Every structure is written in structure tokens, then in C-alpha cells.
Amino acid sequence: MKILYLVGSLEIGGAEAHAVRQISVICRRDFDVQAILCSFKGGTLLKTTKKSAQNNKFTLYILDKRNIAILKFLIELYTLIRSEQPDIIHAYAFGPCLWARLLCSFFPTQVVCHYHGISNVAQRWSRFIEKCLQRKTDTFLFNSQSTQKVYNKYLSSMSKQCVIYNGIAIPTKMDTIDSPKQLNLEEPFEMVTICRLKPIKAIDVQIEAVAELHRRGRNVILRIVGDGAIAVDLKKISMSLQISDSVFFEGFHNDVDRFYRQAKCFLVTSYHETFCLSLCEAMLHGLVCIAPNVGGPSEIITDGVDGFLVDADKPLPDHVMPGWRPLVWNGAKRTLSPPKSIDSVSLANRIEYVIDHYADLHTLRQQARKTVMERFSMERHCNELLVLYHKLMNQTEIKTT
């Protein structure tokens, strides 16, 4: 069984990094799988992806897709599909799903459209294109029920659908989760967030919460790990609030384990997250996690059991997400609704509760790790993908190691 994986680029994190990790696991678990990864352009993950391809014996192609050379790109992709003749094309996100379905009419191949986001239903033109291409899709695959609900709200489909939650690698040996009697108040309470720095992540809410906690006399610091277009704006906010000595911009890192290890609390404040791999990683490290009760986090965390959910009920200013406000799944109301923000004071209140009760949250932190190991492991994710592939190929037996 030959599978061609298509991703838009090998930029930082997200679906691209997840695709690379899952391919190596799938190749080890099923001897019948011959994997090919095609990225439409390189990026910061290119070096590690080349190493993974060599070690795990899958083929890697990089096509240089540029708007001014779209015809050349399509010819190259067509040639690649014709030469490799894959049984299944597994495409990630709107762009790769678009090109895969446009070209698949010429080949006897199954197409899996894997949506980790909601950009494909954000605007009318993309909804029109998606509707036209639905009949060429063998299976729609979503990374969470929230993503599936949003998609079906805008675009009903007769094609097969399934939800397979993303997964993270579970180390064979992990550090034990410490059980301190109380926090050392002489040391700052360290929090961390790890994400691409873009408006939808609402990192400004975290910075404002830090300022609020400082006004209350709380000794807290926040490390922001990641890079993106709004990094400069966020630095200006921390300076204007006079807390630049308590908010650290760490930039992009391939290995983020040390940030998880040195922090006590992990923050997510996005207006919408379709899943949130970094949240699962933080839970696996035993951090106390605080996230909005929307989208993927509302499916990952059970409030008060393995983390904390904060209701997102503050209307967004007009300048936030202008012209791009698809509905999101609201976990508190159990319905689809326009995106809203966590209030920075509400976030500060929850953080303050964690600081005051940290010694009592040992069971919660242990349960957070258990939740990820049982529900969101990479092994579980890949097993479910293999079942899907074999169903598409009308096979029932999976040869695994």
C-alpha cells in the first residue's frame, strides 16, 4: 500500500510536524505501507524531516510552489503522482486538498482530505471551491469533533467522514510528577505558552493577565515560546504595561521540553483551537493547564479533573479577525457560536487559584498525564489511521510489528 502525504510546507510546528512524526510511526507499525511525503515548500522543519525520512525509509519531495509559477508546480505535482502511482493520497489542509482533488481525476487513487483547521470554510470563495470538489473526496478526516462540527455547519457533505484525534509521542520513561507541600513564594511562579505568534492565539490576554497579577502582588513570569508576525506587537504591549522583565520572548525552538520542565502552568488563550498538540504535551509533562472552553481544548480537558477551562465570553474588538470569523464550538454552551475571548481578569483569577492551591493539585496533574496517555498518544492515532487506510483499500488484516 503506497501512501502519498501532501503538506503545504515544512514550517514551524502544527499539522506539518505532526504529519512527519506520524509517518515514521506508521512505517514501523505496518510493513505493507510505502510512504512518500511531498511538501510544497521547505521551512524550519526541513532538516529534521530529511533526517527522519532517511532513518525511517520514506521518500521526501520538495516542490517549490510560487504564485507566479503555478502551472510549473501543477506539472511537477502531476508528474510526481503519475510516477509514484499512490494507492492513497492523504492531503492536509485546504491547499494540498485542493490540488490533490484537481489532479486525482487522472489517477485511480483514494483521496483523504485531512482538516486541522477551518480556513476552508472561512470565506465564500473557498466554500464554493470545496463544494465543487467534495464529490472527488473519498474520506474527510478531522482532528477533532469541533472541527467537524464547524465544517458541517457551513458545508454539508455526503462523503464519508471520521474524527481521529491527533497524538503525541509517549516516552518509554518519564520523570515522576513532583508533589510539593507548598510553593516557594520567594521564587517566581513560572508559566509558559508555546505556539505560533499570530492574532488568533490571543497572547495579549496572557500578558494582560500577568500585569493584573503583578498589581495583586503576585510574583509570576511568563515565557512565550514561538515566533510569528505579531511578536513585535506583543513586546510593545509588555513594555507599555511595564512588565517586560516578567515576560520573556524565547523565539522558535525545535526542542521545547526544557520549557515544559521548568514551568508549573501552561496557558492557552486562542479564540479558537481545532485541537492543540502543545496542550497535550504540557499535560503529559504534568503542568497545570488552563485553556478556553472552546474547540479542541474543550474536548481534551475535563474542567477540574485534568486541567482548567475558562469560559470565553468577551466579544472581540472589531479589528480582531476582520472579515474572518467562522463559528467555533463553545464547550460551555455546547453549541456553535461566534468566536470570543477569555477576559484577562478571569484568566488572572484562575492562575491565582492555581498558585494558592498548587500543593493540592497533584492528583489533577497525574490525571492530566493519564488522559494524554490513554486518549491522545501517537500510537493510538496511527493505529486508527491504519484502520482507515485498510478500509479504503478493502483490506482487513494489518501486519504490524
Side-chain angles (χ1 to χ4, degrees):
M1 175 170 39
K2 185 180 289 189
I3 305 171
L4 171 61
Y5 295 89
L6 295 181
V7 297
S9 68
L10 292 175
E11 294 294 346
I12 55 177
E16 301 90 350
H18 187 265
V20 173
R21 297 188 189 106
Q22 80 176 26
I23 292 172
S24 61
V25 176
I26 286 172
C27 289
R28 291 197 304 269
R29 291 198 63 81
D30 193 326
F31 297 136
D32 284 343
V33 171
Q34 181 182 348
I36 305 150
L37 174 62
C38 175
S39 175
F40 295 169
K41 62 178 180 179
T44 55
L45 295 173
L46 181 56
K47 184 177 180 180
T48 55
T49 303
K50 285 182 177 179
K51 184 176 180 181
S52 178
Q54 183 178 15
N55 293 341
N56 296 285
K57 298 180 181 179
F58 66 84
T59 308
L60 172 65
Y61 292 96
I62 305 294
L63 302 184
D64 187 11
K65 177 185 176 295
R66 300 179 184 179
N67 292 331
I68 59 174
I70 190 67
L71 181 59
K72 179 176 180 293
F73 161 75
L74 286 175
I75 293 174
E76 290 177 346
L77 182 58
Y78 173 87
T79 304
L80 170 61
I81 297 173
R82 185 181 63 182
S83 62
E84 293 291 351
Q85 297 184 2
D87 299 301
I88 298 171
I89 296 179
H90 186 151
Y92 288 81
F94 181 73
C97 290
L98 166 64
W99 304 124
R101 288 177 291 183
L102 283 177
L103 297 176
C104 75
S105 300
F106 303 99
F107 306 100
T109 184
Q110 304 281 324
V111 177
V112 176
C113 289
H114 197 161
Y115 287 127
H116 287 70
I118 52 177
S119 61
N120 58 301
V121 297
Q123 297 177 348
R124 290 182 179 178
W125 68 268
S126 58
R127 289 199 295 271
F128 174 77
I129 294 174
E130 183 69 17
K131 191 69 177 177
C132 293
L133 295 176
Q134 280 183 343
R135 61 185 179 82
K136 297 185 179 181
T137 308
D138 295 285
T139 300
F140 285 102
L141 179 57
F142 301 96
N143 67 337
S144 68
Q145 294 180 30
S146 301
T147 309
Q148 183 185 38
K149 289 177 187 295
V150 173
Y151 184 93
N152 287 328
K153 175 66 177 181
Y154 287 96
L155 288 161
S156 59
S157 173
M158 298 299 293
S159 301
K160 293 180 181 178
Q161 295 186 1
C162 66
V163 173
I164 298 180
Y165 287 116
N166 288 347
I168 62 173
I170 309 295
T172 54
K173 293 183 179 180
M174 292 183 292
D175 297 336
T176 57
I177 298 175
D178 66 312
S179 180
K181 294 181 179 179
Q182 60 183 10
L183 289 175
N184 182 355
L185 297 180
E186 298 298 321
E187 297 179 355
F189 184 79
E190 184 164 327
M191 303 175 292
V192 65
T193 188
I194 300 175
C195 63
R196 301 185 191 190
L197 303 188
K198 53 185 181 180
I200 198 171
K201 300 297 183 178
I203 305 299
D204 55 306
V205 175
Q206 300 181 26
I207 297 174
E208 291 168 2
V210 171
E212 174 65 23
L213 289 166
H214 275 235
R215 285 192 287 270
R216 301 178 187 182
R218 298 291 186 169
N219 184 14
V220 299
I221 64 173
L222 171 65
R223 296 191 185 277
I224 300 172
V225 182
D227 202 0
I230 64 170
V232 174
D233 294 332
L234 294 175
K235 291 176 182 178
K236 290 179 179 178
I237 292 173
S238 66
M239 292 178 64
S240 66
L241 293 172
Q242 298 181 345
I243 55 169
S244 55
D245 58 344
S246 298
V247 179
F248 301 94
F249 292 85
E250 303 290 350
F252 171 75
H253 290 265
N254 271 320
D255 184 3
V256 295
D257 272 5
R258 67 181 179 92
F259 296 105
Y260 289 125
R261 293 178 188 277
Q262 67 191 38
K264 292 181 173 64
C265 183
F266 183 81
L267 303 180
V268 179
T269 47
S270 307
Y271 305 132
H272 179 62
E273 285 281 354
T274 59
F275 186 70
C276 197
L277 282 169
S278 60
L279 177 59
C280 291
E281 291 172 350
M283 293 170 68
L284 186 67
H285 279 81
L287 276 67
V288 179
C289 296
I290 303 174
N293 196 1
V294 295
S298 68
E299 298 179 49
I300 297 171
I301 288 179
T302 301
D303 187 38
V305 176
D306 47 22
F308 293 107
L309 295 172
V310 180
D311 290 344
D313 50 18
K314 182 180 179 181
L316 302 187
D318 292 338
H319 69 276
V320 176
M321 300 171 67
W324 189 83
R325 290 190 178 181
L327 299 177
V328 302
W329 176 253
N330 187 304
K333 298 180 179 179
R334 309 301 297 171
T335 186
L336 292 170
S337 60
K340 294 184 179 181
S341 173
I342 294 177
D343 181 72
S344 60
V345 174
S346 298
L347 178 59
N349 290 342
R350 179 54 70 187
I351 296 170
E352 194 167 41
Y353 174 88
V354 171
I355 295 173
D356 290 339
H357 298 84
Y358 187 76
D360 302 322
L361 297 176
H362 181 64
T363 301
L364 178 143
R365 296 163 61 210
Q366 287 182 314
Q367 182 59 46
R369 174 174 287 182
K370 183 179 179 181
T371 295
V372 174
M373 294 177 69
E374 291 180 351
R375 298 183 59 207
F376 305 115
S377 71
M378 179 63 80
E379 292 290 328
R380 184 271 320 154
H381 172 84
C382 291
N383 285 342
E384 292 185 22
L385 270 184
L386 285 170
V387 170
L388 172 63
Y389 294 156
H390 281 262
K391 283 183 177 179
L392 287 172
M393 298 301 296
N394 295 318
Q395 297 178 5
T396 57
E397 183 181 357
I398 303 176
K399 300 177 182 179
T400 60
T401 55

